[in-house]
Amino acid sequence: MEQKYLIDTNVLIDAQMNRLPSKGKDFLAKVINKNFIISFITQIEYLGYKDVSKSSEALISLADIIRIDEQIIQTCIDIRKKHKIKVPDAIIAATAITRNLTLITNNEDDFIGLQDLLFINLHSM
């Protein structure tokens, strides 16, 4: 079975600001072209600015957005009981875990210690 990915907000922002290394850019482009998947949290964080651009809105409109459900909620609760992690990050982690997705993030420190979570950092490629 082919690996699928959940893209964190910070990755989209780094891509938009042209702050990804070339290997990371290439990898992200392949992921977005094949299966562009984000959490509803990323949708809120990425588009939740007063002067969000039309191109940002257009980009997010191409994504498959995973909404919260009971399985994500329960996994998030379990994560928060065991780890000191912000709610949005816990929801993103729970989404990746429950959907068997590898999280693409540049904020590894937010997710260290979450044993069931697979993640990669495009800056480390």
Side-chain angles (χ1 to χ4, degrees):
M1 185 168 157
E2 172 187 12
Q3 181 58 52
K4 293 185 179 178
Y5 300 90
L6 182 69
I7 303 171
D8 199 359
T9 312
N10 57 69
V11 172
L12 294 177
I13 291 169
D14 280 359
Q16 180 182 22
M17 303 298 289
N18 201 26
R19 294 189 297 220
L20 292 175
S22 61
K23 280 186 175 182
K25 275 188 227 180
D26 293 343
F27 185 84
L28 182 62
K30 288 176 187 171
V31 169
I32 286 175
N33 286 333
K34 198 160 199 166
N35 286 305
F36 183 15
I37 305 170
I38 63 172
S39 165
F40 76 97
I41 292 291
T42 296
Q43 179 186 24
I44 292 167
E45 290 176 336
Y46 193 72
L47 298 179
Y49 294 96
K50 181 180 177 187
D51 297 320
V52 68
S53 70
K54 293 292 180 194
S55 62
S56 294
E57 291 174 350
L59 175 66
I60 295 303
S61 74
L62 300 174
D64 290 327
I65 301 169
I66 299 176
R67 308 286 179 213
I68 200 159
D69 62 20
E70 193 59 35
Q71 186 181 18
I72 292 170
I73 292 168
Q74 288 306 311
T75 302
C76 182
I77 291 168
D78 292 343
I79 289 169
R80 296 260 304 151
K81 284 181 176 180
K82 296 174 188 169
H83 303 276
K84 186 177 181 179
I85 185 171
K86 296 175 187 171
V87 172
D89 290 334
I91 292 170
I92 288 171
T95 301
I97 291 166
T98 61
R99 298 303 185 271
N100 295 313
L101 301 169
T102 297
L103 179 63
I104 302 175
T105 185
N106 298 330
N107 291 338
E108 293 178 58
D109 292 344
D110 293 342
F111 302 103
I112 292 204
L114 301 181
Q115 294 174 334
D116 296 330
L117 179 66
L118 298 175
F119 62 86
I120 59 172
N121 183 334
L122 299 182
H123 290 279
S124 300
M125 298 188 110

